[in-house]
Amino acid sequence: MKGFQFNGIASGIKTNGKKDLGVIYSQRPACAAALFTTNKVVAAPVILGRERIVPGICQAVVVNSGNANCFTGKQGYKDAVETARVAAEALNIPEDLVLVSSTGVIGAPLPMEKMHTGIPLVVADMASDKADDFAEAILTTDLAKKMVSKTCTIKGKTFTVCGFAKGSGMIRPNMATMLAFVCTDLDISSTLLKTVLQKACGVSFNRISVDGDTSTNDMLIAMANGMSGAVLEDSDDALEFQRVMDETLLELSKMVVRDGEGATKLARIVVRGAASAHDAFLTAEAIAHSNLVKTALYGEDPNWGRITAAAGRSGAMVDPDKMDLFFGEVPLVMGGVWQGVDAEKEAAKGMKADELEIVLDLNLGDHSDFFMFCDFSENYVKINADYRS
């Protein structure tokens, strides 16, 4: 991908010696768009980001893990501004072209001495082939790096889209995931970039759940520097870019769910036959967020009653006498009637796989929707009980 450089280092913010400070840099100012958490308790970088993204231009993003810089008051905001200033000075670019992002424990002041010493070091060693280092530096409880790269062509010109994400717990996005960043060398306006980003987010990060919690630091930033020579000029081009962005964010969001804290299985709940699009969304969301459904998934128990009960409390229009429910290809409920022990045994076999699709047909209309979610294991409790230890 042309014109972007990355890096990630261990600056000492994390006490375990792992990488905790990363940077994305565009060699020239990029058109930019961003989405932020809808949580009313927000981190300082979110407040600053909302202000700075308004002109639709960004040249660098500095990300730290291990400290959320949230619930840190006026000093936290000053620290976010100072982080951007130090990065701008190291990069020799205007300060207002730097966005900052943080993830980690809420409440502790950002260790600015680490930022002052670490940022010049991470900037000094940036390179186009250090995306892996950046992807590692933004992780917290994640077990795996999350990166996706796709190459596409518009009118004979090739461009690349590269996406990064972190997220493992505190996942119930109402805009994006915990942290996500997308870079492309396509030439596109910031206005259109935001439209594409919102649509792609709606069918990816806004359709996943690990534990039903919405983070204070959720941030999805996209940057387009136009250095590939490919220019988005018409509606056909826009459709092609939308497809690539959709695929990129969907793959990243799937990685987030698969890497959910303590997760052993990934499930996709598809609701079809709903009376309205809103009903389809409400039903799928209620099932994906249900702790009882998640624990049954972990126990490889096709407990269809938990799924139909979640649908019933979702607020959507449902009729239990019309419901059909499938685990994979196995029908467990047809027309509101349980299909018996043998059907459950067959469904249980399919639940031994690490990926499963569940389909609930409400048979009330033509609308459908989906969510991706993971199971709940004992390890989720252990990870979060020890998070600040």
Side-chain angles (χ1 to χ4, degrees):
M1 182 170 52
K2 296 182 179 178
F4 282 98
Q5 294 181 326
F6 313 89
N7 197 16
I9 65 169
S11 70
I13 299 173
K14 290 178 180 174
T15 58
N16 58 12
K18 292 185 178 180
K19 290 185 173 68
D20 53 23
L21 185 63
V23 64
I24 298 175
Y25 169 69
S26 173
Q27 291 176 354
R28 70 186 190 194
C31 290
L35 302 173
F36 301 95
T37 182
T38 58
N39 196 321
K40 291 182 180 180
V41 176
V42 296
V46 171
I47 298 171
L48 182 63
R50 286 172 175 167
E51 297 169 355
R52 291 202 171 169
I53 200 62
V54 173
I57 304 174
C58 177
Q59 195 168 358
V61 183
V62 179
V63 187
N64 77 271
S65 57
N67 183 299
N69 193 13
C70 179
F71 237 98
T72 47
K74 292 180 180 179
Q75 187 59 50
Y77 180 82
K78 290 179 181 178
D79 289 343
V81 172
E82 176 65 4
T83 297
R85 188 200 67 77
V86 174
E89 184 177 277
L91 292 164
N92 195 28
I93 62 174
E95 183 180 335
D96 60 359
L97 296 186
V98 180
L99 296 178
V100 299
S101 185
S102 300
T103 180
V105 176
I106 292 173
L110 194 63
M112 290 308 295
E113 70 282 1
K114 302 290 196 303
M115 306 302 282
H116 280 110
T117 57
I119 289 173
L121 293 175
V122 75
V123 167
D125 203 25
M126 297 182 307
S128 59
D129 61 353
K130 289 199 168 185
D132 273 354
D133 296 281
F134 173 79
E136 183 180 347
I138 67 176
L139 305 181
T140 52
T141 58
D142 309 59
L143 297 178
K145 292 178 288 188
K146 301 167 183 68
M147 294 174 52
V148 173
S149 181
K150 293 185 177 294
T151 300
C152 192
T153 301
I154 288 180
K155 292 184 172 61
K157 295 285 188 177
T158 299
F159 69 93
T160 300
V161 175
C162 185
F164 307 85
K166 68 80 51 184
S168 184
M170 216 173 185
I171 305 287
R172 182 185 183 175
N174 290 318
M175 46 57 63
T177 188
M178 302 309 94
L179 299 181
F181 310 94
V182 181
C183 306
T184 180
D185 49 12
L186 175 68
D187 188 342
I188 180 176
S189 71
S190 59
T191 301
L192 185 52
L193 181 62
K194 184 167 184 178
T195 298
V196 171
L197 192 67
Q198 287 175 319
K199 289 181 179 178
C201 185
V203 294
S204 57
F205 291 131
N206 279 348
R207 291 296 185 275
I208 63 174
S209 175
V210 169
D211 49 20
D213 255 308
T214 296
S215 172
T216 56
N217 290 57
D218 281 359
M219 185 180 293
L220 168 57
I221 299 171
M223 300 169 63
N225 66 13
M227 294 183 70
S228 67
V231 182
L232 198 154
E233 296 177 330
D234 54 39
S235 57
D236 287 342
D237 295 344
L239 287 173
E240 180 63 10
F241 181 55
Q242 185 72 63
R243 180 191 65 79
V244 175
M245 187 69 86
D246 288 352
E247 290 179 358
T248 299
L249 297 196
L250 186 61
E251 288 185 30
L252 286 172
S253 62
K254 190 173 181 179
M255 291 176 185
V256 170
V257 179
R258 187 177 291 283
D259 194 28
E261 290 172 342
T264 68
K265 298 180 186 299
L266 181 143
R268 186 172 188 263
I269 173 66
V270 178
V271 174
R272 65 190 187 199
S276 69
H278 187 55
D279 279 357
F281 172 83
L282 286 176
T283 307
E285 181 186 43
I287 294 167
H289 292 329
S290 169
N291 289 344
L292 289 178
V293 172
K294 292 172 183 286
T295 51
L297 182 63
Y298 175 61
E300 299 177 354
D301 175 15
N303 193 330
W304 55 271
R306 293 181 176 180
I307 295 170
T308 54
R313 65 170 169 76
S314 67
M317 182 186 299
V318 300
D319 182 344
D321 293 331
K322 292 186 177 181
M323 288 183 181
D324 297 335
L325 179 64
F326 302 82
F327 273 54
E329 300 296 324
V330 181
L332 284 184
V333 176
M334 297 298 292
V337 177
W338 175 47
Q339 297 301 288
V341 174
D342 289 343
E344 282 199 10
K345 288 180 179 179
E346 191 63 27
K349 294 178 183 177
M351 294 185 73
K352 295 187 181 301
D354 61 5
E355 193 165 330
L356 172 70
E357 182 169 273
I358 301 168
V359 178
L360 176 64
D361 195 332
L362 299 177
N363 289 306
L364 295 174
D366 300 321
H367 299 275
S368 62
D369 211 329
F370 77 96
F371 257 76
M372 292 185 292
F373 65 102
C374 61
D375 58 348
F376 257 172
S377 71
E378 302 93 328
N379 281 334
Y380 178 84
V381 177
K382 292 177 181 177
I383 289 167
N384 283 282
D386 295 338
Y387 186 62
R388 299 203 308 166
S389 300

